[in-house]
């Protein structure tokens, strides 16, 4: 069959963004940066990069955008090498936009001007239309005449996103976009970013140290530590099977149970380099189980977070609020766990 014939010779589709064994360190700081990064991102994907402060998140983002050059390896965007800052007049890929922590706004100009100035004057009508559309999409049209210096952090963040968006980039890179935004605004901004991804089909790479961002938004979650990728998978998959205890703790503050305690309390035999990872919501109070003393009760509105201790074993669990108080003797049941590397 002709169709079959064609299929056989179809070339492998080139990944949209492709990092191949990319390393970058900093002068005088050879251990910092990122190393041996292999990464493929598909068009339209929402990728979250999660890691502690100093793990290399911003470095990775700058490499993808072309603000830094890799020392080793290569970065391809749609099959073409991304040029470094020394290789072009204006550093940064023209089809991408990066939004850094400092929003880089003209604080004394009006919101409208901040966004419109990103577009050329060749077609003034189109310039006006696109600016208005973008402001509406991010629900800041009512702020058009305000100076950005008079806006809240969340509103400024929106203006920064609008400035990037109005140029119709294919890829939007966001470096810790929620860090200067209060809790209420954070929720709305998360929803906005999700809309960007689903309605406009823009490829989004979001860097964050807050696991919730990655878990709630991303199609793909990348966990990095000391400049290396520890795990790269769908958020659910990473939660179900984190590669090691560090990932489980970083993601959802898992309880990490060592072999001696696993044998003692649960009759589970682990190798020396294995641990049980149990998320706080996978533990509950029961009629029988691990006998423990309540050491701390942290009020969380509709639940309490308990810190309990059974011999050498300390556990954190979330329970419906008001059930127990400090010093109570309780029984804790482990409803689910996974075995991970130490
Ligand atoms: P993150 O964004 O995850 O906090 P970065 O990518 O900014 O991490 O930094 C990774 C590591 O590289 C850190 O240890 C940081 O101190 C170091 N680093 C970043 N930029 C520079 C620089 N310009 N010169 C020297 N070291 C740097
Ligand atoms: Mg950073």
């Amino acid at each position: 069959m002709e169709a079959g014939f064609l299929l056989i010779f179809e070339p492998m589709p080139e990944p949209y963004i492709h990092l191949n064994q990319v390393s970058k360190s900093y002068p005088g700081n050879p251990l910092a940066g990122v190393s041996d990064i292999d990464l493929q991102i598909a068009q339209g994907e929402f990728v979250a990069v999660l890691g502690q402060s100093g793990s290399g998140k911003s470095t990775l983002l700058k490499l993808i955008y072309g603000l830094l050059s890799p020392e080793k390896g290569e970065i391809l965007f749609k099959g073409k090498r991304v040029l470094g800052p020394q290789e072009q007049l204006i550093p940064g890929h023209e089809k991408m936009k990066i939004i850094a922590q400092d929003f880089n706004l003209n604080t004394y100009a009006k919101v409208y001007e901040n966004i419109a100035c990103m577009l050329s004057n060749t077609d003034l009508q189109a310039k006006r239309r696109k600016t208005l559309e973008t402001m509406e999409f991010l629900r800041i049209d009512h702020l058009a005449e305000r100076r950005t210096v008079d806006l809240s952090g969340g509103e400024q963040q929106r203006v920064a996103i609008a400035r990037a968006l109005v140029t119709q980039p294919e890829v939007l890179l966001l470096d810790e976009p929620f860090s200067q935004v209060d809790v209420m605004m954070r929720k709305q901004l998360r929803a906005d970013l999700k809309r960007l991804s689903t309605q406009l089909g823009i490829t989004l790479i979001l860097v964050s140290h807050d696991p919730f961002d990655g878990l709630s938004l991303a199609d793909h979650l990348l966990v990095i530590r000391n400049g290396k990728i520890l795990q790269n998978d769908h958020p659910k998959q990473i939660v179900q099977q984190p590669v090691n205890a560090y990932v489980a703790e970083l993601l959802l503050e898992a309880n990490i149970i060592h072999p001696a305690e696993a044998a003692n309390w649960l009759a589970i035999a682990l190798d020396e380099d294995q641990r049980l990872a149990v998320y706080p919501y996978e533990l509950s109070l029961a009629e029988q189980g691990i006998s423990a003393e309540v050491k701390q009760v942290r009020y969380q509105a509709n639940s309490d977070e308990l810190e309990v201790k059974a011999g050498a074993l300390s556990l954190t669990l979330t329970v419906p609020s008001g059930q127990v108080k400090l010093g109570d003797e309780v029984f804790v049941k482990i409803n689910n766990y996974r075995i991970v590397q130490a």
Side-chain angles (χ1 to χ4, degrees), residues 297-306 318-324:
V297 181
R298 292 189 285 269
Y299 175 68
Q300 295 184 329
N302 59 351
S303 64
D304 284 339
E305 190 172 70
L306 306 182
T318 35
V319 299
S321 70
Q323 285 192 348
V324 295

Side-chain angles (χ1 to χ4, degrees), residues 22 25 55 79 81 121 168 241 268 277:
V22 168
S25 65
S55 58
R81 192 172 66 81
N121 284 327
Q168 294 177 294
Q241 198 51 62
I268 296 171

Side-chain angles (χ1 to χ4, degrees), residues 31 34 53 57 62 69 71 99 137 144 234 248:
L31 294 178
V34 297
S53 180
K57 305 182 296 296
K62 287 176 190 164
S69 295
E71 281 154 18
I99 302 177
F137 187 84
H234 300 283

Side-chain angles (χ1 to χ4, degrees), residues 216-281:
S216 60
L217 293 170
D219 306 314
H220 240 113
L221 185 58
L222 206 74
V223 183
I224 69 172
R225 183 186 199 186
N226 297 335
K228 287 194 185 301
I229 296 182
L230 285 185
Q231 196 160 11
N232 174 12
D233 212 327
H234 300 283
K236 267 188 192 162
Q237 185 59 35
I238 300 187
V239 170
Q240 277 165 21
Q241 198 51 62
V243 289
N244 59 25
Y246 175 84
V247 173
E249 281 185 283
L250 183 74
L251 221 53
L252 288 168
E253 296 173 19
N255 293 285
I256 303 302
I257 303 177
H258 289 241
E261 268 69 51
N264 187 15
W265 294 102
L266 298 156
I268 296 171
L270 295 179
D271 293 341
E272 265 318 297
D273 61 351
Q274 290 181 324
R275 303 287 181 267
L276 295 183
V278 186
Y279 299 120
Y281 60 83

Side-chain angles (χ1 to χ4, degrees), residues 79-127:
K80 287 211 183 89
R81 192 172 66 81
V82 173
L83 300 179
Q86 275 84 38
E87 295 172 286
Q88 45 185 353
L89 227 48
I90 303 167
H93 199 286
E94 57 171 12
K95 297 287 183 201
M96 304 187 195
K97 274 281 176 296
I98 194 164
I99 302 177
Q101 275 149 303
D102 53 354
F103 303 140
N104 199 19
L105 301 176
N106 180 350
T107 45
Y108 291 98
K110 290 176 178 170
V111 168
Y112 181 92
E113 289 309 323
N114 263 282
I115 301 164
C117 74
M118 299 300 286
L119 300 172
S120 79
N121 284 327
T122 45
D123 183 346
L124 288 175
Q125 240 179 335
K127 179 170 172 162

